Amino acid sequence: MASKVIHAYYDDDDVLMLAVKKVKAAKLHIDEVYCPFPVHGLDKAMGLAPTRLAITSFLYGCVGLTVATVMMNYIMIEDWPQDIGGKPSFSYIENMPAFVPIMFELTIFFAAHLMVITFYLRSRLWPFKKAENPDVRTTDDHFLMEIEIHDNEQELKDVLANTGAVEINISEKNSH
């Protein structure tokens, strides 16, 4: 199903930030903002919830630490104990200082790789996905604010005209 959206284009990130604040002050919902580079504070100005990727990263790190501990205990203590440099393999605790680098590396490995995979899945970015960017200029030097129209087209045009937009267009957006 297609819905009508209004696109407001900006050529400066500071003007965009002021425009977002004006639109939010007018109690209008911004669907999306497309930028050629990250704009500091834009997520807060739009009222977006904080990301939870840091929590998942910590949990993935805990999984990596657990895998490292279980793996080293099984390999070096239970399955094939070896006397390396005169260090006995009686228990994991006695040999743990030698295993700290491996524990650290697997913690970082799991956290980094699983967090990237989670980010791509959460963002719905997978190979051969068609780009959802409505205008190629937003990959170079323009910023675009997208707002869905709900029988308030003239009100949106009036608000956006006072925000410093260099261009305002109306188009159809296909919902996925």
Side-chain angles (χ1 to χ4, degrees):
M1 179 171 158
S3 61
K4 286 176 77 175
V5 292
I6 190 163
H7 290 160
Y9 294 84
Y10 301 90
D11 57 4
D12 184 63
D13 56 333
D14 293 327
V15 176
L16 172 73
M17 281 294 288
L18 292 173
V20 167
K21 290 175 183 173
K22 286 181 183 177
V23 169
K24 293 304 278 184
K27 305 286 189 223
L28 297 170
H29 175 71
I30 300 171
D31 285 344
E32 189 66 73
V33 174
Y34 297 91
C35 302
F37 54 83
V39 178
H40 180 71
L42 183 61
D43 52 345
K44 192 172 189 173
M46 287 179 63
L48 299 177
T51 181
R52 294 184 300 258
L53 274 179
I55 297 168
T56 60
S57 176
F58 175 75
L59 295 175
Y60 294 150
C62 291
V63 169
L65 182 64
T66 303
V67 167
T69 303
V70 170
M71 178 188 74
M72 289 181 300
N73 184 56
Y74 176 73
I75 292 172
M76 298 299 289
I77 306 300
E78 294 176 17
D79 185 43
W80 196 268
Q82 299 177 24
D83 185 359
I84 300 173
K87 296 178 185 173
S89 299
F90 299 131
S91 71
Y92 180 80
I93 295 296
E94 290 176 325
N95 292 321
M96 194 170 72
F99 299 149
V100 168
I102 299 167
M103 293 163 55
F104 173 78
E105 291 295 332
L106 281 180
T107 299
I108 301 303
F109 179 85
F110 272 70
H113 287 81
L114 292 176
M115 189 171 62
V116 167
I117 292 168
T118 300
F119 172 75
Y120 282 138
L121 292 175
R122 177 67 181 95
S123 300
R124 295 185 177 98
L125 294 173
W126 38 77
F128 311 111
K129 182 178 188 287
K130 186 180 178 298
E132 295 178 6
N133 196 344
D135 193 321
V136 295
R137 291 180 292 176
T138 61
T139 63
D140 184 27
D141 62 350
H142 277 73
F143 303 86
L144 184 146
M145 184 188 315
E146 182 178 87
I147 302 174
E148 191 168 350
I149 299 172
H150 300 287
D151 298 326
N152 59 347
E153 184 176 326
Q154 191 57 47
E155 176 194 356
L156 288 173
K157 282 184 177 179
D158 293 341
V159 169
L160 293 173
N162 294 325
T163 62
V166 294
E167 184 180 331
I168 298 173
N169 295 330
I170 294 174
S171 63
E172 295 285 328
K173 180 178 181 175
N174 294 327
S175 60
H176 303 283

